[in-house]
Amino acid sequence: MAARDESGATEHYDAVVIGAGVSGMYALYHLRGMGLSVRVYDGATDVGGTWWYNRYPGARVDGPGSPFYCYTFSKELMQEWDWKETQSEWSEVLAYLEHVADRFDLRRDIQFETWVRDARYDEATQRWTVETDTGVRASCRFLICAVGALSTANRPDIPGIHDFAGECYHTGRWPHEPVSFEGKRVAVIGTGSSGIQSIPEIAKEAAHVTVLQRTPQYSVPAGNRPITPEEMANARANWESFLAKMNANPGGFPFDNNPRSALDESPEERRARYEALWQRGGFTFYLDGYNDIPIHEEANASLADFIRAKIREVVRDPETAEKLMPDYFVMTKRPILDNGYFEAFNRDNVTLVDLREDPIERFTPTSVVTRTTGEHPIDMLVLATGFDAISGSMLRLNPKGRGGMSLEERWQDRFHNHLGMTIAGFPNLFMIHGPGSPGVFYNMPLGAERQLGWIGDCIRHLEKHGLGTVEPTPDSEEAWHDELTALANATLFPRTASWWTGANIEGKPRYFSAYLGGSIYYQRIADVAARDYEGFAFEPAHGTDDTRASG
Ligand code: N01
């Protein structure tokens, strides 16, 4: 049980978790199971995180998908949940997460509609204090930041945008009330996953859609289809073997990626392979291609050329097709799956504006004005402009560590961290899917479980040895950065401006901040633990904490 201080103003817990999305929910389950008192805060009205917010038309899992985008900690949970489609719609994932919250009685320890606006470490008590916008204040030994790698919306600051008088929605903050596009002229800014998923859906209903595209994108058919009862039965019957494969696979999914190089096959063989994968669709298009596509320029070009030819084939107007032609290394921006994106440009009610040759100049209350084609009257603006990804939500929280140092100060030049979970000067603070972790390059529910397994063990280590705090040394942060950079530099990823490299946010440190080692990461963190947390510094417990683990 949590303890309250005498005034009732501060609640005391062993752990506070910020965020009740996929990671925060599991953090609660796991730490509570260890006997810790845990409180979760989330600004939303219910669980789900990303899936609670991203309910724009067409929003679906756009990774390898169901039934393996799920928690693995409970075999019973796997046995009782029926996934309907390979690329589950947001509502299905949300229903699953609500079921998890019910089944494991999570909500009793979650305070919704409560935004954490500050978190400060106190060296004397070795505790964190979090302040919320509802006036609730909580103190804790362990601060778990499950704030989401893609949750801080990026809203472009375009002259006049605030004067636009029509409806305006960000895909990542989509309203919970129905949005009607009927008879409306809609402009969509952004052609990442969210824009590409939503544009065909909006076009079905709207009077007109103007797509404002800055960077043309590669995208492949999602290949979404119902999951058959036989497939579900097979996943259940062979769950342990699927799980073993997931844990061993670089991306956390139970697939055998093609180990061959594109350069080992003839152009005809390559085309035949790409064509077969295109016909099947889905994320495995990217994974089953060849192993050196993200690494080798020539291999990369073979796939890029194939997709460009497909776009020319699908889009009837050659001028529009040319504007849609991507020119970066394929897969070096987050690969995209679509349900009829390029086909949407064959509709009479969809127009493409290439912002590279015809940039937005300003908004008026009733239109968007671009340099060459001038005024486009609109009733609605959809911002599919993405997120201040990976590090943005940690910086928005901006915790204050030792000596009152803010994360903003600590992360001025780059996102210093060790193992993608811990930060020097911020004792007992743990990030899930933070910079330096595989995060968005890994099956995120499974990744959260594996990181939290490590964090739980680390907390047990403190308890066992009477230690008060754990934090990495600056040297271990440097070494981790070097390791991460070496992995990234062996690929083409850092050579493209993407949200992976922070290039979508002005002034953000520009470097590839995810750990690309895939499942090697989990071996690395296990090795660190096995070597008594090599690279970490500990302080003995001060012994003045009468609110210590009570569970
Ligand atoms: O965001 P993005 P997203 N003027 O950053 C453009 C995950 N996801 O929300 O490429 C004009 O990819 C920007 O242009 P550019 C998934 O991992 C998951 O689409 O920077 N344009 C780009 O086209 C995904 O990758 C799911 O030149 C501007 C677009 O806006 C990630 O979230 C569903 C602009 C932003 O694309 C982010 O995807 C959807 C400006 N000022 C997404 N600023 C599911 O699994 C930005 N752009 C359900």
Side-chain angles (χ1 to χ4, degrees):
M1 284 295 294
R4 249 171 213 279
D5 77 1
E6 271 174 22
S7 69
T10 303
E11 299 176 3
H12 297 278
Y13 301 97
D14 294 323
V16 160
V17 177
I18 308 179
V22 170
S23 309
M25 290 170 68
Y26 182 70
L28 168 58
Y29 174 83
H30 186 63
L31 300 180
R32 196 166 73 180
M34 286 171 53
L36 302 189
S37 61
V38 186
R39 191 65 165 164
V40 183
Y41 298 105
D42 195 296
T45 58
D46 205 346
V47 295
T50 233
W51 299 103
W52 189 89
Y53 285 104
N54 284 267
R55 43 181 80 207
Y56 57 83
R60 288 178 179 278
V61 169
D62 72 343
S66 310
F68 303 109
Y69 174 86
C70 64
Y71 292 117
T72 66
F73 67 87
S74 159
K75 191 172 175 189
E76 295 71 33
L77 178 62
M78 172 64 192
Q79 298 297 328
E80 69 201 17
W81 187 262
D82 267 320
W83 290 101
K84 295 194 195 76
E85 295 177 298
T86 55
Q87 310 302 134
S88 309
E89 208 177 8
W90 66 268
S91 53
E92 190 183 1
V93 185
L94 191 59
Y96 168 77
L97 295 173
E98 286 168 355
H99 169 73
V100 172
D102 290 339
R103 195 185 190 293
F104 299 99
D105 192 17
L106 297 182
R107 288 190 185 86
R108 73 179 150 92
D109 289 319
I110 307 177
Q111 190 160 331
F112 294 109
E113 298 183 81
T114 303
W115 189 257
V116 175
R117 54 178 177 78
D118 195 29
R120 276 172 197 275
Y121 181 69
D122 177 50
E123 291 172 65
T125 59
Q126 298 177 315
R127 293 182 73 87
W128 284 90
T129 299
V130 304
E131 305 270 354
T132 69
D133 64 350
T134 57
V136 168
R137 181 193 298 148
S139 123
C140 59
R141 284 189 69 202
F142 304 106
L143 185 64
I144 314 293
C145 301
V147 290
L150 291 158
S151 61
T152 300
N154 171 36
R155 294 174 186 274
D157 188 16
I158 299 169
I161 197 163
H162 301 295
D163 302 329
F164 176 64
E167 293 164 81
C168 179
Y169 307 112
H170 190 285
T171 46
R173 284 289 178 280
W174 200 257
H176 287 216
E177 304 72 42
V179 172
S180 169
F181 304 101
E182 213 173 307
K184 291 177 187 160
R185 296 160 302 177
V186 182
V188 181
I189 306 185
T191 52
S193 301
S194 306
I196 284 181
Q197 285 186 336
S198 58
I199 287 163
E201 296 303 314
I202 298 172
K204 285 179 194 162
E205 212 186 295
H208 194 268
V209 181
T210 304
V211 177
L212 299 158
Q213 168 197 271
R214 186 162 71 182
T215 305
Q217 290 273 21
Y218 301 95
S219 176
V220 308
N224 183 39
R225 58 171 181 78
I227 294 177
T228 63
E230 294 73 32
E231 283 172 307
M232 233 17 261
N234 180 37
R236 287 190 178 119
N238 299 298
W239 182 235
E240 274 77 17
S241 96
F242 278 117
L243 198 50
K245 272 189 154 184
M246 286 161 78
N247 280 313
N249 177 271
F253 287 93
F255 305 126
D256 298 314
N257 304 346
N258 181 12
R260 286 177 67 84
S261 158
L263 307 179
D264 288 344
E265 298 197 349
S266 69
E268 293 69 31
E269 285 169 320
R270 283 198 297 258
R271 244 191 324 274
R273 181 172 191 87
Y274 294 148
E275 183 61 39
L277 291 170
W278 181 273
Q279 292 309 327
R280 187 179 70 190
F283 208 83
T284 48
F285 175 90
Y286 296 108
L287 304 177
D288 281 354
Y290 294 98
N291 75 347
D292 51 356
I293 290 183
I295 296 168
H296 197 287
E297 284 189 33
E298 201 182 327
N300 194 279
S302 72
L303 182 62
D305 287 345
F306 176 85
I307 301 180
R308 282 193 283 258
K310 280 291 177 194
I311 300 171
R312 286 195 184 93
E313 218 173 278
V314 172
V315 179
R316 285 200 288 270
D317 173 39
E319 211 177 300
T320 305
E322 282 320 298
K323 287 182 188 165
L324 287 166
M325 233 23 86
D327 55 8
Y328 61 92
F329 293 118
V330 61
M331 289 178 77
T332 58
K333 272 171 165 310
R334 168 63 155 79
I336 298 177
L337 303 179
D338 72 88
N339 291 284
Y341 173 65
F342 294 114
E343 289 80 352
F345 292 95
N346 293 332
R347 300 176 65 107
D348 294 336
N349 68 336
V350 177
T351 311
L352 179 66
V353 177
D354 177 356
L355 298 181
R356 295 200 285 198
E357 61 183 38
D358 185 12
I360 300 175
E361 291 207 315
R362 64 195 156 87
F363 280 85
T364 74
T366 54
S367 67
V368 51
V369 182
T370 61
R371 187 178 300 163
T372 319
T373 47
E375 190 155 3
H376 306 261
I378 53 170
D379 306 299
M380 186 192 288
L381 174 61
V382 173
L383 299 172
T385 44
F387 305 91
D388 184 349
I390 306 178
S391 52
S393 298
M394 281 304 298
L395 283 166
R396 182 171 56 170
L397 175 67
N398 198 21
K400 319 297 178 303
R402 285 191 190 281
M405 157 141 348
S406 73
L407 189 64
E408 213 171 72
E409 290 166 75
R410 185 77 227 290
W411 277 7
Q412 234 166 35
D413 58 336
R414 77 169 123 96
F415 314 117
H416 300 271
N417 71 82
H418 187 40
L419 309 184
M421 286 187 277
T422 56
I423 306 165
F426 294 75
N428 294 359
L429 178 151
F430 298 96
M431 301 180 286
I432 315 297
H433 297 319
S437 76
V440 291
F441 280 82
Y442 197 77
N443 186 347
M444 294 186 88
L446 178 60
E449 288 176 337
R450 297 184 80 176
Q451 284 195 314
L452 279 151
W454 189 92
I455 292 165
D457 289 347
C458 183
I459 291 174
R460 280 197 192 98
H461 179 84
L462 295 186
E463 297 296 325
K464 185 172 159 198
H465 298 281
L467 298 168
T469 65
V470 58
E471 69 191 285
T473 63
D475 284 352
S476 59
E477 290 187 328
E478 285 301 307
W480 188 248
H481 176 73
D482 292 346
E483 181 173 335
L484 175 146
T485 306
L487 284 166
N489 286 347
T491 71
L492 300 170
F493 289 114
R495 291 169 59 182
T496 297
S498 70
W499 60 256
W500 285 337
T501 58
N504 65 329
I505 302 294
E506 220 181 296
K508 191 167 170 166
R510 275 256 202 146
Y511 76 105
F512 192 89
S513 64
Y515 186 89
L516 274 180
S519 49
I520 293 170
Y521 170 81
Y522 298 99
Q523 192 52 54
R524 289 284 287 108
I525 63 175
D527 289 347
V528 167
R531 288 196 298 268
D532 277 341
Y533 298 90
E534 188 180 62
F536 285 88
F538 297 90
E539 269 179 359
H542 286 178
T544 54
D545 183 2
D546 56 5
T547 56
R548 191 169 290 275
S550 35

